[in-house]
């Protein structure tokens, strides 16, 4: 029931979006010709990609009827409305197919992959849409077929390349906070350079002036988060198109060198220019994700999810560094070793042993405060760091942990693989990661005593 309610809600929202965006486009429509700016197709397509729940066939129908009804109410003759809006829907369908099809490799998540395919998707959508739209324009507005086709193509292509990235990369609320923080921490110089180069292109004029902001946009792409770069390319691109349309930016000069009209030329020029910063920004984003994945692999043990030794070092380093090294890190260190683990492997096989390791780490994480650092030292030995724990608390927590491991029923393929563990405790107060080794050695000595005294017990280096 709530699903149906959500569905109806989404359909209504999409329908009104289609109406609103059509009205904006219709305001740019000249008498007896097509609109010079039609944002609807790109924005609506972007919404389908950005919000996968909206992405279904019903949505396409809703969009078509939303745009059609608006056009009819605007006074457009029925045949023209049907033709024009059918071509709009073909843009959305064709570009969506290129953005999401599985026929090419899919190494990235849905949003990132779509952003990477914006250029081919915009071309495909614009080609299909212009083929139908051009015929409608020729038939009903008596435009020359090639000119009409080119006008549709250039408008759809440039609007899509400008708007789609910003809509697809639209952040969630929590992402937005992070993006704004990163942006405010960045230098303002790329933005200033963008303003200056745009002003220069107006002042100098001529065909090449459209490209003046390109280096500044690339600088922005390197300096700011992806979404901000998309917004800046959008604002720059639209400003340039408006400046050309309003004859403020004269890209044609005195001679009529262009065979196509200057507005279409400007649109294509702007589209070509704005795709470059997007590509730069995307490759930086993809690179960051790759580095994050590699770091995660290096910092966490794949089998158990516990920190690796290098992961523990960097976590400890990041805890110690901001405290000017004087406060350092003080607390307790546990060395936890599963008892007679070799028997599990020998009796039930290596896979069963792996399962026991993963379950034991889960048990350790559940039994201790969430701030504890749990690291796999190797094999069936784990190190736990508990910040701020004194002797009494360390002993209490270690006993609680030993008890939890003993009572943790581990069932694997119908067999009971429950284990016990021995724990050695040392206390530490260190100002550098290197000093950790000494505390580990002391805990190891206690662990040895625990093992040789019968296992399944806790041995602290102190006397309570
Ligand atoms: N399944 C599995 N076994 C591992 C892994 N790493 C180490 N081992 C095995 O863990 C066993 C450790 O055995 P021992 O060091 O003799 O320790 P133990 O049997 O737990 O005996 P005590 O520590 O003395 O109680 C060895 O058989 C290793 O092959 C792993 O990632 N997965």
């Amino acid at each position: 029931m709530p699903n149906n309610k959500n569905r109806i809600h989404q359909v209504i929202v999409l329908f009104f979006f289609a109406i609103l965006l059509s009205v904006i486009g219709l305001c740019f429509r000249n008498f007896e010709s097509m609109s010079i700016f039609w944002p609807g197709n790109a924005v609506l397509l972007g919404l389908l990609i950005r919000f996968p729940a909206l992405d279904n066939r019903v949505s396409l129908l809703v969009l078509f009827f939303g745009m059609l009804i608006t056009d009819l109410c605007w006074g457009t003759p029925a045949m023209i409305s049907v033709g024009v809006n059918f071509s709009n829907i073909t843009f959305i369908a064709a570009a969506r197919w290129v953005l999401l099809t599985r026929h090419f490799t899919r190494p990235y998540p849905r949003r990132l992959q779509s952003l990477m395919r914006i250029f081919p998707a915009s071309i495909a959508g614009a080609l299909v849409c212009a083929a139908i739209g051009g015929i409608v324009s020729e038939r009903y507005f008596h435009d020359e077929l090639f000119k009409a086709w080119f006008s549709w193509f250039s408008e759809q292509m440039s609007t899509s390349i400008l708007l789609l990235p910003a809509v697809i990369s639209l952040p969630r609320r929590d992402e937005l906070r992070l993006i704004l923080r990163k942006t405010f921490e960045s230098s303002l110089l790329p933005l200033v350079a963008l303003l200056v180069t745009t002003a220069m292109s107006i002042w100098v004029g001529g065909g090449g002036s459209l490209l003046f902001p390109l280096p500044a946009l690339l600088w922005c792409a390197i300096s700011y988060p992806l979404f901000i770069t998309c917004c800046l390319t959008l604002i720059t691109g639209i400003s340039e198109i408006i400046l050309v349309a309003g004859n403020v930016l004269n890209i044609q000069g005195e001679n009529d060198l262009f065979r196509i009209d200057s507005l279409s030329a400007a649109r294509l020029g702007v589209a070509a220019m704005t795709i470059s910063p997007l590509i730069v920004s995307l490759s930086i984003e993809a690179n960051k994700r790759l580095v994050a994945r590699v770091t995660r692999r290096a910092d966490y043990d794949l089998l158990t999810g516990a920190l690796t030794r290098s992961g523990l070092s960097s976590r400890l380093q990041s805890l110690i560094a901001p405290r000017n090294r004087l406060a350092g890190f003080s607390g307790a260190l546990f060395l936890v070793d599963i008892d007679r683990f070799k028997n599990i492997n020998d009796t039930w096989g290596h896979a069963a042993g792996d399962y026991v390791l993963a379950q034991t780490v889960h048990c350790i994480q559940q039994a201790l405060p969430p701030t504890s650092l749990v690291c796999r030292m190797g094999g069936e030995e784990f190190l736990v760091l508990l910040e701020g724990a004194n002797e009494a608390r360390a002993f209490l927590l270690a006993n609680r942990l030993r008890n939890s491991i003993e009572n943790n029923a581990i069932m694997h393929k119908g067999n009971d693989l429950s284990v016990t563990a021995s724990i050695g405790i040392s206390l530490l107060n260190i100002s550098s990661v290197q000093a950790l080794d000494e505390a580990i050695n002391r805990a190891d000595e206690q662990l040895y005593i625990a093992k040789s005294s019968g296992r399944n017990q806790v041995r602290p280096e102190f006397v309570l």
Side-chain angles (χ1 to χ4, degrees), residues 308-369:
T308 57
R309 289 194 74 155
S310 73
L312 179 74
S313 292
S314 28
R315 285 289 292 278
L316 200 55
Q317 181 66 41
S318 64
L319 283 175
I320 292 175
R323 303 174 185 165
N324 69 26
R325 289 175 180 264
L326 283 176
F329 180 97
S330 66
L333 184 154
F334 298 171
L335 268 190
V336 184
D337 191 287
I338 302 176
D339 296 328
R340 304 202 193 283
F341 180 68
K342 191 170 177 301
N343 290 348
I344 304 264
N345 274 341
D346 293 348
T347 315
W348 309 108
H350 211 79
D354 284 354
Y355 184 71
V356 170
L357 290 173
Q359 290 300 307
T360 305
V361 167
H362 183 68
C363 177
I364 296 174
Q365 286 164 337
Q366 294 298 309
L368 296 173

Side-chain angles (χ1 to χ4, degrees), residues 377-429:
M377 295 289 279
E380 81 305 6
E381 189 173 78
F382 304 96
L383 182 153
V384 178
L385 281 180
L386 288 149
E387 186 163 28
N390 59 15
E391 294 179 353
R393 183 160 167 76
F395 191 65
L396 178 90
L397 286 175
N399 269 307
R400 193 190 287 171
L401 174 61
R402 189 205 55 74
N403 213 20
S404 301
I405 294 175
E406 187 177 16
N407 294 321
N408 182 34
I410 304 177
M411 300 302 293
H412 184 256
K413 295 186 178 165
N415 303 311
D416 184 358
L417 308 186
S418 306
V419 289
T420 60
S422 304
I423 304 176
I425 310 177
S426 64
L427 290 178
L428 72 167
N429 187 353

Side-chain angles (χ1 to χ4, degrees), residues 368-380:
L368 296 173
T371 47
S372 354
L373 300 177
V374 181
C375 159
R376 185 175 177 199
M377 295 289 279
E380 81 305 6

Side-chain angles (χ1 to χ4, degrees), residues 431-444:
S431 55
S432 80
V433 175
Q434 289 69 29
L436 187 67
D437 284 349
E438 206 216 316
I440 294 177
N441 289 340
R442 283 187 277 118
D444 202 26

